[in-house]
Amino acid sequence: MERQQEPRHPRGTAARVLLTSVFGPYARDDEYGSRAINPMELYHNQVTRAQDVFSLRMFHRSWGLMLIQANLEAPCTLLDFPTLSRFVQELRTRTYDVVGISGILPNLGKVARMCALVRQHQPQATIVVGGHVANVPGIEQHVDSDHVVRGEGVSWFRRFLGQDPQAPIRHPLIVSAIDARTMGLRLPAGRGDTAATLIPSVGCPLGCDFCSTSAMFGGKGRHVDFYRTGEELYGVMCGLERALHVRSFFVMDENFLLQRKRALALLERMRAGGKSWSLLVFSSANTLRLYSDEELVGLGLTWLWIGLEGEGSAYDKLRGADTRALVHRLQGLGIRVLGSTIVGLPEHTLENIGPAIEHAVAHDTEFHQFMLYTPIPGTPLYRQHEQAGTLRPDVPPADTHGQLRFNYVHPHLAPGSETELLLRAFRRDFEANGPSVLRIARTLLRGWQRLKGHPEPRVRERLRRECRGLATSYAGGLWAAERWLADNPGLAARLHEVRLAIAAEFGWWSRLAAPLVGRFVLLALARERRRLESGRTYEPPTFYEANEGARASGGGRPARARWVPVEPVAD
Ligand code: SF4
């Protein structure tokens, strides 16, 4: 973060603030940097992109902006996923003293355009640019802004507006996913159906050379805690539980389990409070080895995002780890795993990339992210390529997202070959392991069979909740997929086997439900196929939310905010 100048806005907490993400539409190619291959859908973008109608499609809000807004006393309006015309309309109809724009590297062109529009329509406004785009070398030459904030934005904005930067963090109410759909069907989005997002810390002290998130918040040895103790976290989670009626939490912390003391203190409070919560977390491999099965089950770990990177890769977090055995152990506890593998590590060649992909696929994780090894500005890997003169200036920022091409000269892979290799990895994973959303059924069943007699009632309750749809929705989904994917007999047989195992566990009800639900799912799959073939893409809705101060200030009336600050509370 830039601290040298310690800038202050003269109006302090009276300043009228607009925070905005970059404009859409996103899932198309355009001159501002939108790319059809890089939609605003995390899973479809880089996890299930080759899974056709089975791809998991959903959007996630701009959580960083929501967190900043929740912690400002100044009147603050948040415009999330605007179109360009909606952004211009906002600039024409309301007056702002500060406009904060957040983006990632591929958004550079959009950020530049938005800054120019602010200058045109609101020349009095101070423009602040943040997010990963802030690390673009010489960004000041590309965008006309007043401040570029590198790193954590809450304390920067608080300082800028004359608030106490060290004050306790108010946690916004965030529903983790929006408009989720798969297999042509919308996923339930009623009260409590979707996990709440919880943000305990940002950054990761392990500092892997390619990791832009770690670099963003200080790099190796550093991170930023918003909540230091298990007690504080527990209080925030109780607040989220009450306000959003949730019992599951998407824990947005790059390496949540690394802080073992905090995690175990949370576990203690969960046990004492009888909380049947589910936690969806990110963790590095070696960190997981610090926890017993009972601790992971007790914490309600149900979903885990883990970096597998590549067989024999030199990262400390993987040293000595047998990742296949680890994944198997976790799945035995009913924990669904999202493994992340890098394509294009320095040692990869055309000869060894095939076995490297097979190694990744053999993990048989529920979801698998494949990303190109990509130096992102701000990371040690970027500096290394910069010094070696191996960056490729002809690759525009809009194409530097890890799903299309290298932005540097790879030691062994010819330019352009990586595009096919990456796609090959996604396709091979789908061909071997099938639809991710149905792999979940197999792991849920394993967890159910292992833990349904667990001595803690809160664990049994969680299992019952998570496995509610196994005998019906999942059985029907499997029945439909067996038929849809009949041209891959090996895969269809695997799906069939899981369905039989579910029927054996849940009896006649499941046998009856599978073809009934399955016929309905088959129709939905066919409908989705037609949509996709007609060129249909999905875009997030625009959100327009004002805090108390902005609502009170009049001059246009934003829609009522969908967040309420949560103070840590004792249960
Ligand atoms: S362990 Fe994961 S989050 Fe931490 S630095 Fe490495 S890649 Fe980033």
Side-chain angles (χ1 to χ4, degrees), residues 203-215 219-220 253-255 258 282-285 287 305-307 309 315 317 342:
C204 172
L206 296 195
C208 301
D209 61 355
F210 60 86
C211 183
S212 55
T213 322
S214 173
K220 204 172 180 67
D253 182 321
E254 294 299 327
N255 209 338
L258 195 57
F282 296 77
S283 175
S284 52
T287 301
W305 187 310
I306 184 171
E309 317 314 1
Y315 296 106
K317 63 180 179 177
I342 299 173

